[in-house]
Amino acid sequence: MEWWQVLLSVLGGLVLLWLALIAALAWMSRGKSEKITLVAALRLGPDIVRLTRRLVSDPTVPRGVRVWLVVLLGYLLMPIDLVPDFIPVIGYADDMIVVALVLRFATRHAGPDALERHWPGTPQGLNALRLLAGLD
């Protein structure tokens, strides 16, 4: 496989994951009075990355949460994967499941105060994260 094919597969997988996240947010917020906007959904990825970094560096967050977030980072950076990432869609599905489970654990165990203190985005983005983590 050529380098550009690998790059194209990675970018395609990321776009599909992003669309799946937006679809999940739309579906989960259908019964709520406050709908999640497309802008909030698009900003959610970078905001979650910054939130993760801030939670890991905060000594008041429980050690178990920080350890799991560091393990998640190591898993995502590891070149060997459960399902190879060059397989379209399925290659990123395992990563998406692992990320969702660890973020759900971290947001539930860090507590709402830590989330509000470290959330870098908009209040609507924080509501979207709470919705995804099952906190609302």
Side-chain angles (χ1 to χ4, degrees), residues 5-7 37 57 69 75 88 109:
Q5 291 172 324
V6 172
L7 180 64
T37 65
S57 63
L69 290 171
Y75 174 77
H109 288 83

Side-chain angles (χ1 to χ4, degrees), residues 60-130:
T60 63
V61 172
R63 178 176 283 175
V65 171
R66 292 183 294 156
V67 167
W68 275 107
L69 290 171
V70 170
V71 168
L72 173 66
L73 178 63
Y75 174 77
L76 293 174
L77 293 176
M78 189 171 52
I80 299 171
D81 210 353
L82 295 175
V83 179
D85 289 339
F86 63 82
I87 298 175
V89 181
I90 299 171
Y92 289 97
D94 67 324
D95 292 341
M96 184 171 73
I97 292 168
V98 169
V99 167
L101 290 175
V102 171
L103 284 177
R104 185 178 178 106
F105 170 82
T107 54
R108 287 179 173 220
H109 288 83
D113 293 337
L115 289 180
E116 289 176 16
R117 190 171 59 243
H118 294 297
W119 181 251
T122 63
Q124 191 177 28
L126 181 58
N127 289 339
L129 177 66
R130 286 185 178 144

Side-chain angles (χ1 to χ4, degrees), residues 29-40:
S29 69
R30 65 186 147 91
K32 305 284 183 185
S33 60
E34 184 180 330
K35 299 292 183 193
I36 306 299
T37 65
L38 183 61
V39 173

Side-chain angles (χ1 to χ4, degrees), residues 2-36:
E2 296 287 327
W3 67 269
W4 60 270
Q5 291 172 324
V6 172
L7 180 64
L8 205 58
S9 296
V10 168
L11 291 175
L14 289 174
V15 167
L16 287 175
L17 285 177
W18 208 266
L19 291 174
L21 174 68
I22 291 170
L25 280 172
W27 182 75
M28 292 174 82
S29 69
R30 65 186 147 91
K32 305 284 183 185
S33 60
E34 184 180 330
K35 299 292 183 193
I36 306 299

